Every structure is written in structure tokens, then in C-alpha cells.
DNA sequence: TTTCGTGCAAAAATTTTGCACAAGC
DNA sequence: GCTTGTGCAAAATTTTTGCACGAAA
């Protein structure tokens, strides 16, 4: 069995980035987070591990990781940007407008349709971000 | 023939908003714009008509129009928010990553799939914003 | 005439940057 | 040793807000 899932140093090297404690910490936090933390939250979580991390470093690291394709920036509405590990498959983000909770859904059919549509227009998709503002009307799978 | 398309005063009244020259100007600019202007651009275009309009008024008017459902805020990446008249049908925004140009496409099939998917999860869609970052690979409809 | 909108300037919030020092390779 | 990253503080950018005055209903 490989050690890929936790070899942050190797992931950084593979991305052509220098390995620093700050980058290791931030990358590990992002990989271990089920939610989509923003810069402030990442700073707090990083400082729980290494007290000296600065907010400027968080922003610079996020830019570097994003440019390397390791993470994705989520620009939601009326709130600071959030970040997630680059997903294996494109997916949609649903924001529950009452609770603020963000959940993800993946739909191959939508992804395929979108790719075909763009292709017909002469475009190749680089990345995609769908933000759905929705309201819970009942428990799933019922009614 | 009706005057609906240019009766900005009535549109404001219908939305429960007071009719002011500033709101009339901003609403008319948004209705007449093929692009998706941001607050700064709206200020410039509004001032070409009425020199006294302030940026604070632009922001406050945009909030009011958005809350009334007349316009939609587009939160793209790494740039100030843009605004558009609330579209009749949900659509996707494609940002050409080389030119920065924003174009729109509408796909009933995707809208339907998305609605069904959310419904199955117990959600009702309030609004939706898809941002596709894409690169032109050829002229449309060829290849 | 009462309520709400506007302009101005100041403030808030998020993100970026200059600089000196430290650390990676 | 050369190059790049980091912390700090200051700055830049976008958006919001307090206040006094003016306009809408």
C-alpha cells in the first residue's frame, strides 16, 4: 500500500513547490477537512499546530497551491473565499440559504452535457464552479 | 403595444421601492446593457447621465434591486461583483480565461437535471450561478 | 409632514505587497 | 550561496455605514 494520501512533502515537490512547514501544515489541514475553510479559518487551524503562521503566508500558500492545481478556490456570495482540495470529479455546491451549510453533489450527466455544449461552442472547460442557493423543503428521498 | 420594457418607474413601484432619479438611471442602464457591469462601471455610466450619482448610492441601489428580485449579483473570481437583470431562464456564465469575456449559455436539459437532483435531496432551488472558466480551442461548430 | 434616499467621508472587511530576515535546496 | 518563503506592518481594493440634508409619498 502506498503513502500517497499523507505524503504532503512529496505532493508539494511534485507540484514544483519548496517544502516548508507552513505549506505542509496548510496542505494537511485542507486534505483533512470535510468542510471548505476560508483563509481565517485556515489560519486558526494552522496556528493550533504551529503558532507562528501568519495570515499573509496563508494567502500566499493558497495562491501557490491553487496555481499548482492542488486546491480550488470557491468564490461564494457575500463571504470570503473558501478553499477545497481539487476534486476528482466536477461537482456542484449547494448552499442551504437557511443554515448556511454547503454540501456537494456530483452528476456525470450534467458534466457530460456541459462539456458537449461548450465543445460545440469551441471551448474547452478549464474549471467549473456551480453555486446553487437552495431551501430545504423536506427530508431526502421522501414525498 | 405595452410600455413594459421601458417603464422603469412602474417596475420600481411594483417592487415596492420608491422611485428616484438615481434608481431609474441605474435600472435603465442595467436593462440596456448587454454586458454585466460592476459597481464602478455602473457609476461611470450613471454619471454620464446624472453627474451627481454617488458610489454609495450605486451599492445601495444594487442591494435594493437585488433584494426585490429585479437583478442578480454575479460573484466571479478575483474581480468585483457584476450585476445583470434577473434572467428569464437560468443559464451558465462562461468566462474566456484568455480574453476575460463573459458569455452566457442556456440549457434546459441541465436545468431540468439539476432541479430533479436537488428535489430528490429534498431541496428547492432558489437561484443558481454556474461559472465555467474555459479556453477557446476553435471557432464554434467546426472540427 | 413623515419617511426614506442620497452624497460625502470615514470605516470595515478581505486580500495583497514591501521589506528584512530566515530557511530550503 | 543563491533563491525562495515567511512574518510583520502597511497598503490596496471593494463594499458598507453614520450623519446631515434633500426628496418622495
Amino acid at each position: 500500500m502506498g503513502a500517497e494520501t499523507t505524503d504532503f512533502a512529496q505532493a508539494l515537490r511534485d507540484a514544483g513547490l519548496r517544502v516548508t512547514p507552513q505549506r505542509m501544515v496548510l496542505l494537511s489541514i485542507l486534505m483533512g477537512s470535510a468542510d471548505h475553510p476560508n483563509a481565517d479559518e485556515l489560519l486558526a487551524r494552522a496556528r493550533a499546530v504551529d503558532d507562528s503562521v501568519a495570515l499573509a503566508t496563508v494567502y500566499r500558500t493558497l495562491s501557490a497551491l491553487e496555481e499548482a492545481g492542488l486546491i480550488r478556490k470557491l468564490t461564494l456570495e457575500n463571504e470570503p473565499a473558501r478553499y477545497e482540495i481539487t476534486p476528482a470529479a466536477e461537482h456542484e455546491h449547494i448552499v442551504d440559504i437557511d443554515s448556511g451549510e454547503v454540501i456537494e453533489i456530483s452528476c456525470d450527466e450534467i458534466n457530460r452535457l456541459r462539456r458537449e455544449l461548450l465543445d460545440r461552442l469551441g471551448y474547452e472547460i478549464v474549471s467549473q464552479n456551480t453555486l446553487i442557493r437552495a431551501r430545504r423543503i423536506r427530508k431526502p428521498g421522501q414525498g
Side-chain angles (χ1 to χ4, degrees), chain A:
Chain A
M1 49 197 108
E4 312 81 20
T5 51
T6 50
D7 196 345
F8 308 123
Q10 194 56 49
L12 289 169
R13 260 182 241 111
D14 290 349
L17 296 171
R18 281 196 183 176
V19 177
T20 70
Q22 293 88 344
R23 287 176 179 175
M24 297 271 280
V25 168
L26 288 166
L27 187 54
S28 71
I29 289 169
L30 282 163
M31 295 198 116
S33 296
D35 59 349
H36 307 97
N38 61 32
D40 258 347
E41 291 162 349
L42 282 167
L43 178 67
R45 296 181 200 180
R47 282 193 164 160
V49 179
D50 175 349
D51 196 32
S52 73
V53 180
L55 185 56
T57 299
V58 172
Y59 277 109
R60 281 188 282 228
T61 299
L62 289 171
S63 295
L65 294 178
E66 192 194 6
E67 200 160 359
L70 289 174
I71 66 170
R72 188 76 75 74
K73 181 183 194 171
L74 301 178
T75 306
L76 310 194
E77 294 189 355
N78 308 318
E79 63 169 306
R82 299 176 180 225
Y83 298 84
E84 68 179 357
I85 292 294
T86 301
E90 289 296 352
H91 55 240
E92 334 269 295
H93 289 101
I94 304 171
V95 179
D96 183 316
I97 61 169
D98 296 316
S99 73
E101 189 191 9
V102 178
I103 68 173
E104 298 178 355
I105 57 169
S106 202
C107 179
D108 293 344
E109 184 69 2
I110 289 179
N111 290 338
R112 194 182 54 74
L113 278 170
R114 199 152 36 206
R115 209 175 321 113
E116 282 175 9
L117 195 54
L118 271 279
D119 184 75
R120 231 171 292 137
L121 291 169
Y123 284 99
E124 173 189 64
I125 296 181
V126 173
S127 71
Q128 180 274 137
N129 181 13
T130 297
L131 180 64
I132 301 171
R133 299 178 57 242
R135 179 184 300 123
R136 163 141 274 152
I137 48 174
R138 58 160 197 282
K139 291 272 176 62
Q142 301 183 356

